[in-house]
């Protein structure tokens, strides 16, 4: 460090190798990637040429698309500091070679609304610490990774944890801003934001698509507060699960997924489709309805942040017992039988008028 009229003597020197390549791991299905290199050819098609036959689609923040099957590249050149959404047939690892773009020298311009950013530092760093300056003025609304995990500063909820090189992130702000990362020689300050793991184990994880909606449930909204270890899940009108999360106090964040337009089957919600909910608590599954919302509604809208105000929980067994009627009884071969004539120990299935089926053993 500089000292007036000082004398410094070097005891040793260590050569720091120049960063000239980057390895990016991309999973099957949808994800978001970015690079911290300036490449000899920044054309997206050239960069991804080695995995040409594995790409279904790649999009930038504006929605411009690269569709290799049709030889169409609406994205053109990629930009350092930007993230790109991609859908792949299989797990892929690619290595790019170029000049490292120092994070402190390559600020990222953020526009009001949604942005898709890259991460330029060599080592991971906590999302809350990295985005502290953007959030300090109340400008940051939400940050999401490709798996739907969110950082919501208003609720002090950090489900992302660290930002990681090679990945990209969706970020929403109220006003135009600039994001400048610290140099690799500096460290971000520790934050008071605890990293929250809300991965469920009872309910299955659902397929990731390219669009989702975030539902926020504060403890005060529940009529019956779930116990520690409980889980919540969301369903479309056909009863297909489209989101699940671990209950976390004092706020639970549930990501629900929209339909993937690149598939022929319906694998998520369509815009304005109603969402229904269930909660698994104390080894019992109940339905619940959000009767009032502070913000948003039960209808799906891409990138919406819907905040529950009041929840009414209904016991599923009580609901079924008062609304269903037995239609027929069938055995394991699908043959209709009369219950009193069944053999002892035979497995039968009661079919009810509401479409539910109950397994019984005589």
């Amino acid at each position: 460090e500089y000292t007036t009229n000082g004398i410094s003597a070097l005891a040793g020197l260590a050569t720091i190798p120049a960063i000239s390549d980057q390895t990016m791991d991309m999973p099957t299905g949808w994800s978001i990637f970015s690079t911290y290199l300036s490449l000899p050819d920044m054309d997206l098609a050239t960069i991804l040429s080695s995995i040409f036959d594995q790409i279904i689609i790649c999009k930038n923040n504006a929605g411009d698309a690269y569709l290799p099957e049709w030889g169409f590249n609406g994205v053109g050149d990629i930009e350092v500091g930007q993230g790109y959404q991609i859908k792949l047939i299989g797990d892929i690892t690619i290595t790019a070679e170029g000049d490292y773009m120092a994070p402190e020298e390559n600020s990222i311009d953020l526009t009001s609304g949604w942005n898709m950013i890259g991460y330029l530092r060599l080592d991971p760093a906590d999302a809350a610490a990295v985005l502290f300056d953007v959030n300090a003025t109340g400008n940051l609304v939400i940050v999401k990774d490709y798996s739907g995990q969110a950082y919501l500063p208003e609720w002090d909820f950090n489900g992302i944890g660290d930002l990681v090189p090679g990945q990209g992130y969706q970020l929403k702000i109220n006003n135009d801003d600039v994001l400048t990362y610290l140099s690799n020689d500096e460290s971000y300050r520790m934050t008071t934001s605890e990293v929250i793991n809300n991965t469920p184990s009872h309910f299955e994880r659902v397929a990731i698509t390219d669009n989702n909606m975030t539902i926020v449930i504060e403890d005060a909204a529940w009529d019956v507060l779930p116990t520690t270890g409980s889980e919540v899940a969301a369903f479309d009108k056909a009863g297909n699960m489209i989101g699940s999360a671990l209950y976390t106090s004092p706020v639970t964040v549930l990501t629900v997924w929209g339909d993937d337009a690149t598939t022929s089957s319906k694998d998520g919600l369509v815009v304005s489709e109603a969402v229904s909910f269930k909660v698994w608590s104390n080894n019992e599954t109940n339905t619940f309805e959000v009767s009032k919302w502070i913000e948003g509604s039960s209808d799906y809208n891409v990138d919406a942040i819907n905040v529950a105000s009041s929840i009414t929980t209904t016991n599923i067994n009580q609901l079924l017992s008062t609304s269903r009627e037995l239609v027929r009884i069938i055995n394991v071969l699908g043959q209709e039988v009369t219950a009193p004539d069944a053999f002892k120990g035979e497995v039968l299935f009661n079919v009810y008028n509401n479409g539910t089926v109950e397994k019984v053993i005589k």
Side-chain angles (χ1 to χ4, degrees), residues 85-113:
Q85 205 167 29
I86 190 169
K87 185 178 184 182
L88 299 170
I89 296 173
D91 293 347
I92 293 296
T93 297
I94 65 172
T95 299
E97 296 184 355
D99 298 322
Y100 180 58
M101 305 298 284
E104 71 277 17
E105 297 174 2
N106 292 275
S107 298
I108 302 172
D109 292 327
L110 304 174
T111 58
S112 174

Side-chain angles (χ1 to χ4, degrees), residues 141-142 150-157 198 213-222 232 245 248 250-256 277 288 290 292-297 304-311:
V141 179
I142 187 174
Y151 168 46
L152 292 153
E154 182 177 348
W155 288 273
D156 194 28
F157 183 94
N198 66 347
M213 179 175 78
T214 304
I215 295 175
V216 179
I217 305 174
E218 296 178 283
D219 280 354
W222 293 96
V232 294
T248 52
V251 61
T252 300
V253 175
L254 172 65
T255 299
V256 297
F277 304 96
F288 70 87
V290 182
K292 292 182 181 179
W293 293 88
I294 297 174
E295 183 178 342
S297 69
I305 304 173
N306 297 350
V307 184
S309 173
S310 180
I311 287 176

Side-chain angles (χ1 to χ4, degrees), residues 123-314:
D123 296 319
D126 181 79
V130 172
L131 297 165
F132 178 84
D133 289 343
V134 178
N135 184 47
T137 58
N139 199 22
L140 182 63
V141 179
I142 187 174
V143 185
K144 297 188 287 187
D145 64 14
Y146 76 88
S147 68
Q149 296 294 339
Y151 168 46
L152 292 153
E154 182 177 348
W155 288 273
D156 194 28
F157 183 94
N158 184 3
I160 293 178
D162 288 348
L163 302 186
V164 179
Q167 294 192 19
Y169 301 87
Q170 292 176 294
L171 177 152
K172 185 179 183 182
I173 57 174
N174 293 313
N175 304 300
D176 292 354
D177 212 326
V178 176
L179 171 62
T180 303
Y181 295 113
L182 293 182
S183 72
N184 293 302
D185 296 329
E186 300 178 89
S187 298
Y188 284 99
R189 296 177 181 175
M190 297 291 291
T191 70
T192 58
S193 177
E194 178 187 359
V195 179
I196 299 172
N197 180 7
N198 66 347
T199 304
S201 57
H202 175 74
F203 289 117
E204 296 179 1
R205 296 295 300 271
V206 300
I208 295 170
T209 68
D210 62 331
N211 64 103
N212 57 52
M213 179 175 78
T214 304
I215 295 175
V216 179
I217 305 174
E218 296 178 283
D219 280 354
W222 293 96
D223 60 342
V224 179
L225 193 66
T227 58
T228 301
S230 299
E231 297 179 15
V232 294
F235 300 82
D236 66 9
K237 63 181 181 181
N240 301 310
M241 189 165 64
I242 40 78
S244 58
L246 183 69
Y247 161 76
T248 52
S249 180
V251 61
T252 300
V253 175
L254 172 65
T255 299
V256 297
W257 295 92
D259 188 42
D260 184 350
T262 67
T263 62
S264 57
S265 60
K266 184 177 182 294
D267 37 28
L269 296 159
V270 296
V271 174
S272 297
E273 182 176 357
V275 184
S276 60
F277 304 96
K278 292 181 182 179
V279 55
W280 178 75
S281 182
N282 293 322
N283 293 318
E284 183 177 76
T285 301
N286 296 319
T287 62
F288 70 87
E289 178 185 358
V290 182
S291 52
K292 292 182 181 179
W293 293 88
I294 297 174
E295 183 178 342
S297 69
S298 295
D299 296 339
Y300 180 74
N301 284 291
V302 178
D303 289 331
I305 304 173
N306 297 350
V307 184
S309 173
S310 180
I311 287 176
T312 303
T313 307
T314 305

Side-chain angles (χ1 to χ4, degrees), residues 52-57 66-73 89 262:
F52 174 88
D53 58 347
Q54 297 294 308
I55 303 170
I56 297 174
I57 189 174
Y66 167 48
L67 298 160
E69 183 178 353
W70 287 273
F72 179 83
N73 184 5
I89 296 173
T262 67

